[in-house]
Structure formats: structure tokens, C-alpha cells
Amino acid sequence: MSQKLVDRLRAEFGERILETGSQHGDESVVVAPADLPDVAAHLKGREACELLLDVVGVDRSELPGHRDDPERFEVVYNLRSLSRNHRLLVKVRAPEGRDVPSLAGLYRSADWAEREVYDLYGVRFRGHPDLRRILCHHEFEGHALRKDYPIERGQFLSAPEKLIQDHEIERAAHRADDSRGAVLPSDLLTVNIGPSHPATHGALRAEVLLDGETIVEARTEIGYLHRCFEKEAEDHTWAQVMPYTDRLNYVSAMLNNCVYCAAVEKLLDAEIPPRARVVRVIVSELSRIIDHLVCVCANLVDLGALTNYWYFYNVREGLYYDVIEPLCGSRLTTNFTRIGGLGYDVFEGFETAIERNLVKLETAIGEVTGLVARNRIFLDRTVGVGAMTPEQALDWGFTGPCLRATGLAYDVRKHAPYDGYETYDFDVPVGTAGDTRDRIMVRIEEMRQSARIIRQALGRGLPAGPILADDPRFALPPKEKVYGSIEGVMNQFKLIMEGARVPAGEAYGFGEGGNGELGFYCVSDGGGRPYRVKVRPPCFPIFSAFGEMVKGLMIPDAVAILGSINIIAGELDR
Amino acid sequence: MQVMTDLFARIFGDGLSSLGLLVAGGLTMALIMALVMASCAIVFTWAERKVAGFIQSRYGPMRVGRWHGVLQPVADMVKILGKEDIVPRDADKPLFMLAPFVIFVGSLMAWAAIPFAPGFIAADLDLGLFYIFAVSSAATIGILMAGWASNNKWSLYGAARGAAQAVSYEIPLALACIPVVMITGSLNMNDIVIAQQGGIWRWHFLHDPFLFVAFLLYFVASIAEVNRGPFDLPETESELVAGYHTEYTGMRFAFFFLAEYANLFLVSCVATAVFLGGWQPLFGPVFLPGLVFVIKAVLLVLLQMWLRWTLPRLRVDQLMHVCWKVMVPLALVCVLGAGIWMLATGQAG
């Protein structure tokens, strides 16, 4: 199907499609920067590519075969059609100092994504409405992900950024005039919600302009938790990146482990053993349950329904202590999977421990829905608050529960099944209004569906066999071999010291994360370390819409919305 | 206060003039009230944590004092005494320092007119009910002072919300008590309790359907009046950080805390006296009146705690909506209905 899309594009644009490529099942086309708006508009309008997932920058200056290429930077637009279920990577290449036309007018999700490319690579986007740094501090000098930026070069930065300027306050006052008499700029008050505020779970900042309690203008700033994940990844071997993925969405670390492995395995064309596949599905769904538990309970706390927190948190702790910790030795930073399989096999009593906790989960869901589902105050606080239409949600790049709450049943597990998800029987719950209540209810129902998947997987029995592929290219040999043979020692030594040699190429590995589509766009130069790893964090595009979502609402609404879109600063800022 | 002056008269015989008796009796009574207030606040902080723990499937304090952490409030008090007293540099210092005491004194004064038992009332005022509403409004000034003087935007928002809420909910609160005043023909708290003599069916909340509704209105409005969940908008931790007491530490913060629990008990005591028969037992003759009164009030407090840990919080505009568009009209209907009921049943004088 995707192949046909590329052919249709060739037929439409002819010579203007400079190159087409297909690697590991990812179709791509290369166009000249000047043609990008036309091609993207065609793809959006005629080929139903409604969703711009991510914009990836690549500095090719050290990529073999491109060292002397004048077109140093590559910008990859990751497009997806939900209705026709095809996907395409559109690439443009630009030399140092040359602009690329911005797609922010076409897709709102391009706004922040292009800012990130600008911030980290210095590629300028022509026509971008607000081309500022996003992850790095506004005083930061240089562009951190360029290959010539030394990883150890730190900078001392301190001045906070004023997000809403004085002239904007005047303009906002002018706009607010119509509704109720004259509003003077001095009637408006700027307030910082965050970076340290009880409702910003993690370090986020929103500067809001308030008329009474009503939010007239809201600007968000992120990057407080930026830990240079992508730069660090380029400095470590493929296997060493694994513990760093734990810290992305630290609420559901196992999901990150699984999806990162899937991306690297895609580059390696590696098959993982059936036992590892089933265990990955089980731990992924457990992580999804934990992710949703934490999101919903924290959201309810923000709404003042504190008691629900314990009903859900007790279950979460049960899952951690009874299942996750015995499985990998820690609760949050799991580091559980390995390229080609798993790090550890399941423990004795794995099935019963899970079943025991799933029963508790169902009780807790019953208790919480009993407390809130038909509670008048809860409904007054959530129905219609932060409502998104499906079109708006797609425009902003929403995926996951926030998109499904609007009524679009898009789920990677159904649209592009991996790890055998096609063999499990589960439903994709959707909402109707896309408001805060729907987001909460979709998450609650998804927990039930995840429990269903886990029960099916356990019911079939775990397949016997190894948990790690027997492939010396990337999988560590068993200890007997290491201690018993020179080949084993050498294999171990090379894999640890130099890393698994991943064939040159690029691949976008993705899966359904707790909060939406989680993806890793990996580029390899054939060495033991990633040339480029780009995370597609689900909450990055979602949070970019926050400023627009809260306009005209009140502070309590903003807090309710912020909780319901489940922003995890670890993956937002990387 | 009569009890105290009688007691002193008995002890000292004619050794004290009537003025001396009045002063001695008044001071003793004030001391007792302050102690009752402080101790009930301390007991309720512990009770709140145990109730919350029970509702939230956890234990609450368990360590200090061997049995279920009974000495936890004492440990907390000691700890809070040792905390640094921080006054923000740009705060309005006199107002900032005074605010907690204004709130505390406001609720302390209201205690004077609570009839715990026959004769056991600090000030047996003819305008007792009116007096209670009047002096408990003083807390609003304290909230505004705290919020304004802190020089913090969140505090200011908390104070504005607190003032708006207190001023609004006082209206249904007072309106709900008017039918009772109509029936008893008195604002004197003692008279109101005595009018309910003769078992539960004589208690005011069962007097007629309108009074039952008025009791519910009073109960809801009183929760809002003391800023507790689901009406805890002035101090919403998830929205306004901590509302008007964001900048307070140590003992000054403790005074806010103490006043909150004292107020909680106060509104329950008023409800007990006005609607639930005061010290009158369920049936039969008056028996341990003080204990009966306290049990009723404590049950109301527990009910408020139960609600707090069950319900989500309202939004600030919904709060005003509930007050002005639902509770005030309903309270007016209750006043009218109770009047008609009195005419119809021939109780009107």
C-alpha cells in the first residue's frame, strides 16, 4: 500500500521527487526544500496524511559517504494516514545556513517539532511563526546535536525567559474588551504556573495572563528536565542506551525498553524468540496499566478527589512490588529488555502474581468509577473542559488516549501490529467529546483491555525456549561460553567494548506507548554506537497544544486538563 | 458563665464584689473556651488523619504514643514550635504577622455563645445566634489580610476566593437559621435549645419539611464557610499552591490550622444547638447534657470529614452558582414555607 503511495507521488510530481527509498519497511521520498510545501499539501489533502508525527533532524557531516556532501542536514517529516493506514517519511536536505520552508501552517504539530530541529541543529525554517529554542536554554550558544558540538562542553545559564511580553498584555487587554466592558492592561495579571507548582507533575512552566481567574493568554516553556538523551545516545553503544530509555517516560519504563529494542532490532533485521515476544507483550501491558493508573489518580487529585489516589496507587505499588521488581530488580528504572530479547527470564509464580494484582486492579477500577463516574461535581468539572475535535487533535499531532478520547480509534497495536498483537482479542475504547472526562474514561477502559490481553497471553501459556536470540552479532553469549571458550570471551569483549555492529541505515521503530505513539528514529553508520537516535515522545505534541487548550478557561480547568493529558517531563524534555 | 460566677461565689463567699465575680468568672470561662478550642483542634487533626486513612485504605499515624499514633498531634505541635518563622522580605509585615491571630480570635469569640449544657454558656446573649454569625465573619478579614500582606499572587487569589466564598455563603447560612428563629421567637441560643425539649421529634430539623431542608442547607453552607472540601477553594493545593497561607510557616501557619479545626467544630456546635436539639437526648429526661451535646457535634464533624475525603472539588464559578442560584433561593423558599406551615398548624402567635 505504501509502495503505491510512493508511485502515485512519482506520477504526480515526476522529477520533483528526487529520490525514493525503502528501508526495513519504511518508505521515504526525498524532495527539494522548495518543493516541500507542495508535496506536503498534496499528501495531506489528497493522500489523507492527517498526522505529522515528528520532525527529525540529522547532521550527516560524519555519516560515511556523506562527509563531503554540501547538504549537511537532513530534515525528516514523519507522516501518517490513519484513514488509509499508510505512512511515509518525507526528507529534505539543506546545506549549512540554508532555510527550509516550514510546515507549521499546514500541521500545527510542526510548530514545536521544527523548533526542536532549529534548537538542536540550527536549521532555520522559513515562515515559522515562532522560531525560538525549545529544549535548550534561550541563552545557550551553539546547537547541541551537531556533530561538532563536543559532548562535554557545558554552559552556565541562568536568566529566566519572559514568555508573555508587555505589548502582548496590552493586545490581550484590547481583545478582552468586547466581552465585558473595558479591560486595562493593569487589570490583567501574569502568573507562572510552574516550573514548581503542585499541579505540574514534573518541571513544566506555563506563564498565563489572567483576567480574574480566566486565562486570557497562555505560553508554555519546557526543557527544565532536558538531559541530552539524544546526545548521550550518540556517545554510548546501542545496548548502553537502554538504561537511558528508562528515564524517558519513567512511569512506564518497560514500554520504552520494548519500543527501543524493536527499533534497533528492525535495523538489525533480528527475530526475537517467541517467549521473549510474549513476555514483552505482558510487561508492556502491565506498564500501560501502571501509566494509566498514575495518570488518572493524579488527575483526580488535581480535581480534589484525593481518595482515589490511594485506590489506584495501592494497585500500582502491588504491581511494582509483586511483578516488576522480582522481574528485573527495580521498580522504575527497569532496564529489562535486551536487543534480541530480554535481560531476565520470568520468575516462579509470575502468572499468579499478575493474576492476583489484576483482580485488585478490577476492584480498584470499580471503586474509583463508583466514586466519580456519575458524581455531579466530577462531571461539572470535566465534561466539555479541554474538548478537542478529531481534526484539531490530529492537527496538533495527538496520539494515544488523548486522540482516542476524541473518537478516533487509532492504536498502533491495531494499525501496525507488532510483537504478535494481532493475535490478541481486545477493543480500542474511544470517547465522543475529546474532553477531560473522556480522556479519563478512555484510560480506565484501556486498563481493562490491557488486563484482557495479559490474561490471554498467560492463558495460552508462555512459550518454552530461550529469552534471547542466539545471534553473536548483538546478543551476549551465555556465561558458560564466555568462561569456556575463547570465541565466547572475544564475542563478549567486542560486544561490551565496541557495541553491537548495527548495519548502516535508518529505521523508525514504533509502538503504542502509555500516552500515545512512542517511536525511535534510529540512524546507524554501521558502528557500535547509534549515529542518531530521535525519540518521538507522545506527550511532546500534546503539550504543545496546552496553551491553546486552556485559553478562555479558568485556572482550575487548566489544572484538570494538564492532568488529563498526562505530561511526563522525562520524555517531554528528554 | 453563670456556672462560673456561682462557683466563685460559693468558694469566696462574700470575699469578692459582684464586679470581681464577673471578672473572675469571665476570665475563667475564656480560659476554658480557649483550652476547649485548642484541644478540640488538636484532637480533630488526629481524627482527620485517622478518618482519611480509614477511607483511603491506609492507617494514618501509627507510631507516636503507642496506640494508633494518639500523640501524633503533640509531636506535630512540638515540631511546629521549632520551625523558623519566615516573613517574606516584601511582605506587609504588621498585617502579615497579625492575620493568623485575627482569624483565630474571630473563631474564639464565637465560642462564647455556644450552650454546651444548661447554664454552661460563656455569654448568654439574647442575640446569641446573631452574635455568632457576626463575629465569625471577622475571619474573612484575617484571610484577606493574610493574602494581601503575603505579596504573593497565589496568596492573593486564595484570599480573593476566600472572601468571596465567605461573604456569599454567609447568606444561605443565616437564612437557613431564620425559620428556627421564627419558631422559637428568640435569638438566644439557650432558648432555642430549650424549645426542642421532649425527644428527637421535637428537634427543629424534624419540625417540618422546610426545616429539614433548611438544616441540609445550613450543613452545606457551613462546610463552605469553613473552607473545607469540596469547598476548599481558598487553599486548593493543586491550583493555588496553598492559597492564602502559602507564605506562612511555623506557629503562624499552625494558627490557621488550629482556627480551621476550631471553626469546623464551631459550625457543628451551632448546627447541634439550632437544629439537633443541643444537649437534649434522643428521648427521656436530660442526661449528661454536655456529653450529649459534644457527641452530636462530633458526629457532624465526622460527617464533614467523610464528605471531604469523598467528593471532588468545585470550580470557583460553580461554587458561586451553587450559592446564589441554588442555595439562596432555596433558603428563601424555606423561610416562606416555614412561615406558612406555622400559620397552617396554628403555631403563629
Side-chain angles (χ1 to χ4, degrees):
Chain A
M1 185 129 173
S2 284
Q3 184 58 52
K4 275 195 248 153
L5 171 66
V6 172
D7 292 342
R8 284 200 298 274
L9 270 184
R10 265 203 183 288
E12 177 77 24
F13 288 98
E15 289 302 302
R16 293 164 78 191
I17 304 292
L18 302 176
E19 253 178 64
T20 60
S22 171
Q23 282 190 36
H24 310 288
D26 299 334
E27 308 293 331
S28 62
V29 296
V30 180
V31 298
D35 293 329
L36 178 68
D38 287 349
V39 173
H42 175 80
L43 281 167
K44 188 181 183 187
R46 307 277 295 280
E47 300 291 351
C49 289
E50 315 96 336
L51 190 58
L52 171 67
L53 281 167
D54 201 6
V55 182
V56 184
V58 181
D59 176 3
R60 305 196 298 167
S61 59
E62 288 178 14
L63 197 63
H66 297 282
R67 289 221 166 85
D68 303 319
D69 198 331
E71 292 177 319
R72 177 177 176 187
F73 298 107
E74 187 169 80
V75 181
V76 186
Y77 289 83
N78 195 341
L79 294 170
R80 178 75 49 89
S81 165
L82 307 192
S83 44
R84 301 190 195 165
N85 200 16
H86 54 223
R87 54 205 179 82
L88 184 69
L89 302 172
V90 179
K91 300 177 176 176
V92 290
R93 288 169 185 160
E96 173 86 68
R98 180 81 59 81
D99 288 1
V100 172
S102 167
L103 291 191
L106 199 58
Y107 297 97
R108 300 195 82 162
S109 53
D111 185 339
W112 277 27
E114 284 176 351
R115 272 176 70 185
E116 188 185 325
V117 176
Y118 162 70
D119 181 10
L120 299 175
Y121 287 99
V123 176
R124 302 195 67 89
F125 291 88
R126 194 167 56 247
H128 190 285
D130 183 27
L131 199 62
R132 288 181 296 131
R133 288 185 181 274
I134 185 158
L135 291 179
C136 295
H137 196 270
H138 64 105
E139 291 172 340
F140 189 86
E141 283 169 15
H143 299 284
L145 273 184
R146 288 187 174 198
K147 287 289 174 185
D148 49 16
Y149 190 93
I151 190 166
E152 38 319 297
R153 201 186 134 207
Q155 299 184 22
F156 291 100
L157 310 158
S158 57
E161 194 176 7
K162 194 165 164 37
L163 299 176
I164 300 181
Q165 310 300 331
D166 290 340
H167 68 270
E168 286 175 311
I169 297 176
E170 287 201 19
R171 224 183 298 147
H174 191 69
R175 252 186 286 128
D177 262 1
D178 320 328
S179 53
R180 48 167 198 77
V183 177
L184 299 172
S186 57
D187 292 343
L188 302 176
L189 189 67
T190 51
V191 175
N192 274 311
I193 303 178
S196 64
H197 181 278
T200 56
H201 313 288
L204 316 162
R205 176 177 168 217
E207 191 171 329
V208 294
L209 190 61
L210 294 170
D211 174 19
E213 291 238 8
T214 309
I215 296 169
V216 180
E217 186 73 61
R219 295 284 160 77
T220 47
E221 188 192 23
I222 65 168
Y224 288 91
L225 225 56
H226 183 48
R227 309 175 305 289
C228 321
F229 167 78
E230 288 163 10
K231 190 78 176 171
E232 288 287 350
E234 292 172 15
D235 201 46
H236 289 72
T237 65
W238 290 95
Q240 282 172 338
V241 176
M242 191 75 65
Y244 288 92
T245 63
D246 295 339
R247 278 96 177 150
L248 292 172
N249 182 343
Y250 39 74
V251 182
S252 50
M254 291 226 176
L255 273 165
N256 307 333
N257 294 164
C258 291
V259 176
Y260 172 72
C261 277
V264 182
E265 284 152 9
K266 199 170 169 182
L267 269 174
L268 282 159
D269 284 322
E271 268 294 309
I272 67 168
R275 187 177 176 83
R277 277 161 73 97
V278 176
V279 175
R280 275 191 191 179
V281 167
I282 293 171
V283 297
S284 294
E285 295 309 314
L286 284 176
S287 298
R288 191 182 322 283
I289 290 173
I290 291 172
D291 200 279
H292 289 350
L293 283 174
V294 173
C295 171
V296 173
C297 77
N299 198 180
L300 290 172
V301 168
D302 292 341
L303 292 170
L306 196 62
T307 293
N308 301 289
Y309 185 83
W310 277 271
Y311 292 172
F312 272 177
Y313 235 65
N314 283 343
V315 179
R316 170 202 188 243
E317 292 300 299
L319 282 170
Y320 270 148
Y321 284 118
D322 293 354
V323 185
I324 307 285
E325 193 177 77
L327 208 52
C328 62
S330 60
R331 291 161 68 247
L332 272 97
T333 50
T334 53
N335 192 19
F336 178 62
T337 60
R338 296 287 178 273
I339 299 163
L342 306 172
Y344 317 93
D345 205 344
V346 301
F347 55 94
E348 205 170 310
F350 178 66
E351 291 89 344
T352 49
I354 289 181
E355 182 53 40
R356 193 169 66 238
N357 282 288
L358 289 185
V359 173
K360 280 192 208 158
L361 171 75
E362 274 148 13
T363 317
I365 291 178
E367 280 172 341
V368 169
T369 45
L371 270 174
V372 301
R374 278 181 293 170
N375 181 302
R376 176 68 191 275
I377 301 175
F378 171 78
L379 295 177
D380 280 351
R381 286 294 308 275
T382 54
V383 171
V385 172
M388 292 290 256
T389 64
E391 294 75 29
Q392 284 174 323
L394 285 174
D395 200 18
W396 282 107
F398 279 34
T399 49
C402 295
L403 179 63
R404 291 193 279 274
T406 67
L408 281 176
Y410 173 68
D411 189 319
V412 179
R413 294 173 294 171
K414 287 280 189 197
H415 274 68
Y418 54 98
D419 281 348
Y421 269 112
E422 65 278 7
T423 62
Y424 298 98
D425 186 23
F426 65 99
D427 299 323
V428 179
V430 292
T432 48
D435 55 11
T436 302
R437 176 186 168 274
D438 280 2
R439 285 189 280 268
I440 292 174
M441 290 305 162
V442 162
R443 284 202 166 88
I444 287 178
E445 184 53 34
E446 276 184 23
M447 287 194 270
R448 291 208 181 98
Q449 297 300 329
S450 292
R452 225 173 121 193
I453 296 174
I454 295 169
R455 287 210 168 104
Q456 287 172 47
L458 291 176
R460 292 176 200 168
L462 295 181
I467 51 160
L468 192 61
D470 182 19
D471 191 328
R473 284 185 304 154
F474 52 83
L476 288 178
K479 280 280 176 268
E480 308 85 70
K481 266 196 193 169
V482 178
Y483 293 139
S485 70
I486 186 69
E487 292 80 6
V489 174
M490 282 315 294
N491 193 356
Q492 161 104 4
F493 181 80
K494 295 289 266 184
L495 281 179
I496 295 288
M497 301 309 289
E498 291 172 7
R501 298 218 171 252
V502 173
E506 63 209 28
Y508 176 67
F510 58 105
E512 183 70 24
N515 207 12
E517 177 171 331
L518 174 68
F520 287 86
Y521 182 87
C522 298
V523 181
S524 174
D525 57 359
R529 286 154 200 255
Y531 185 79
R532 168 85 169 113
V533 174
K534 168 72 174 78
V535 193
R536 192 268 168 195
C539 66
F540 183 79
I542 295 175
F543 191 56
S544 71
F546 180 69
E548 289 293 319
M549 283 168 93
V550 301
K551 261 187 210 169
L553 302 179
M554 301 177 121
I555 301 175
D557 293 328
V559 168
I561 293 172
L562 187 60
S564 74
I565 56 180
N566 194 18
I567 302 304
I568 309 287
E571 69 171 10
L572 181 70
D573 295 346
R574 284 155 282 153
Chain B
M1 204 168 114
Q2 198 56 45
V3 182
M4 283 300 146
T5 36
D6 288 353
L7 188 70
F8 279 107
R10 204 165 299 163
I11 294 169
F12 296 103
D14 295 331
L16 280 172
S17 65
S18 60
L19 182 70
L21 275 177
L22 203 65
V23 171
L27 281 178
T28 326
M29 207 65 197
L31 196 66
I32 290 176
M33 282 300 159
L35 283 176
V36 166
M37 185 176 156
S39 55
C40 79
I42 287 171
V43 171
F44 284 137
T45 53
W46 176 81
E48 173 106 278
R49 293 164 76 171
K50 292 311 268 190
V51 168
F54 175 70
I55 291 175
Q56 296 166 344
S57 52
R58 58 192 178 89
Y59 292 113
M62 286 300 282
R63 302 289 166 121
V64 190
R66 283 165 187 273
W67 185 77
H68 279 271
V70 281
L71 293 184
Q72 187 68 45
V74 180
D76 286 345
M77 275 295 154
V78 172
K79 179 198 76 174
I80 218 159
L81 277 170
K83 290 278 178 193
E84 187 186 353
D85 178 26
I86 299 170
V87 180
R89 195 187 57 206
D90 294 333
D92 187 336
K93 288 196 181 62
L95 282 188
F96 185 85
M97 292 165 128
L98 206 58
F101 305 112
V102 171
I103 292 180
F104 190 74
V105 165
S107 82
L108 187 62
M109 279 164 70
W111 283 87
I114 300 291
F116 287 98
F120 195 86
I121 179 166
D124 193 7
L125 302 169
D126 281 342
L127 282 174
L129 193 56
F130 179 79
Y131 165 82
I132 290 174
F133 288 138
V135 294
S136 57
S137 311
T140 312
I141 303 172
I143 290 179
L144 272 178
M145 278 165 75
W148 180 259
S150 294
N151 192 27
N152 174 320
K153 289 171 182 172
W154 296 119
S155 297
L156 187 58
Y157 266 99
R161 280 182 179 190
Q165 181 174 332
V167 168
S168 306
Y169 274 83
E170 255 163 23
I171 294 164
L173 194 74
L175 279 178
C177 290
I178 285 183
V180 171
V181 177
M182 283 157 59
I183 289 164
T184 55
S186 170
L187 283 163
N188 183 305
M189 295 296 278
N190 252 332
D191 292 353
I192 291 175
V193 175
I194 289 166
Q196 302 177 72
Q197 207 154 18
I200 183 168
W201 298 109
R202 298 276 300 159
W203 296 0
H204 282 143
F205 83 112
L206 287 177
H207 183 271
D208 61 65
F210 298 105
L211 269 171
F212 188 72
V213 176
F215 169 64
L216 294 180
L217 284 173
Y218 175 88
F219 184 67
V220 174
S222 69
I223 300 177
E225 193 64 16
V226 296
N227 302 334
R228 285 176 59 87
F231 304 107
D232 53 346
L233 278 94
E235 46 190 291
T236 44
E237 74 288 341
S238 60
E239 296 158 22
L240 302 183
V241 188
Y244 58 86
H245 53 61
T246 304
E247 299 286 0
Y248 282 88
T249 56
M251 270 320 280
R252 287 182 210 285
F253 169 75
F255 270 102
F256 285 115
F257 207 63
L258 230 57
E260 180 188 326
Y261 282 93
N263 276 329
L264 174 66
F265 193 44
L266 176 74
V267 291
S268 300
C269 285
V270 174
T272 306
V274 174
F275 291 100
L276 299 181
W279 66 73
Q280 318 275 4
L282 275 175
F283 51 82
V286 173
F287 173 71
L288 291 177
L291 189 67
V292 170
F293 186 94
V294 170
I295 287 175
K296 287 179 186 173
V298 167
L299 286 176
L300 280 180
V301 169
L302 291 177
L303 191 59
Q304 296 202 15
M305 289 180 179
W306 183 8
L307 286 175
R308 176 180 179 186
W309 298 113
T310 306
L311 295 174
R313 181 185 301 125
L314 278 88
R315 200 170 61 203
V316 61
D317 57 326
Q318 291 162 352
L319 183 87
M320 291 296 141
H321 177 96
V322 170
C323 178
W324 291 105
K325 296 189 178 168
V326 180
M327 290 178 66
V328 170
L330 213 54
L332 287 170
V333 167
C334 283
V335 173
L336 184 70
I340 293 171
W341 187 277
M342 282 169 69
L343 277 178
T345 55
Q347 294 174 41

